[in-house]
Amino acid sequence: QVQLVESGGGLVQAGGSLRLSCAASGSIFSINAMGWYRQAPGKQRELVASITSGGSIKYVDSVKGRFTISRDNAKNTVYLQMNSLKPEDTAVYYCNADRLRTRPQGRYLEVWGQGTLVTVSS
């Protein structure tokens, strides 16, 4: 019953901006880390950015200075603000929740969203 629902993908021109949102829903006790991965055609999936419940953040080098990850713990929602988009950012972006703990049974899960397509035109 736990799921991640992403939104905000679409088609933008190079230099434009998008904001991705991912909301976790269901019987959730806590989530250790939430992050965004992306996978382009013919490429391996890579971690774009992650953020822990305590606010510790990591970015892949290629997006530093352009993307900002944030999190609303009360809403179990993570965001990815993407500025100065480049064609090479084109990919399917997947939301991930690491060590999501359910209630009341206290199971730990890794949960993935369905993906949202970001296309950046030149």
Side-chain angles (χ1 to χ4, degrees):
Q1 63 179 354
V2 175
Q3 63 178 332
L4 306 181
V5 179
E6 299 133 320
S7 62
L11 173 64
V12 297
Q13 293 183 340
S17 298
L18 286 174
R19 190 181 76 152
L20 305 183
S21 299
C22 172
S25 63
S27 299
I28 299 169
F29 181 79
S30 63
I31 305 173
N32 177 29
M34 301 185 76
W36 291 94
Y37 292 73
R38 67 186 180 187
Q39 188 165 23
K43 301 291 182 64
Q44 193 169 31
R45 183 181 63 186
E46 68 173 349
L47 175 66
V48 179
S50 65
I51 182 169
T52 69
S53 61
S56 180
I57 293 172
K58 295 180 180 179
Y59 295 103
V60 67
D61 286 345
S62 60
V63 309
K64 289 180 179 177
R66 299 188 297 119
F67 291 9
T68 303
I69 191 169
S70 60
R71 176 172 174 170
D72 186 335
N73 290 335
K75 297 180 179 179
N76 285 323
T77 300
V78 64
Y79 307 92
L80 187 67
Q81 178 66 46
M82 304 186 294
N83 298 327
S84 301
L85 282 162
K86 303 175 181 179
E88 50 262 46
D89 295 318
T90 295
V92 177
Y93 285 70
Y94 297 92
C95 181
N96 172 264
D98 175 63
R99 289 186 64 80
L100 184 155
R101 190 180 186 186
T102 62
R103 69 163 77 238
Q105 298 182 29
R107 294 179 297 131
Y108 288 90
L109 306 174
E110 183 180 32
V111 185
W112 291 88
Q114 79 287 348
T116 185
L117 177 63
V118 172
T119 302
V120 184
S121 62
S122 60

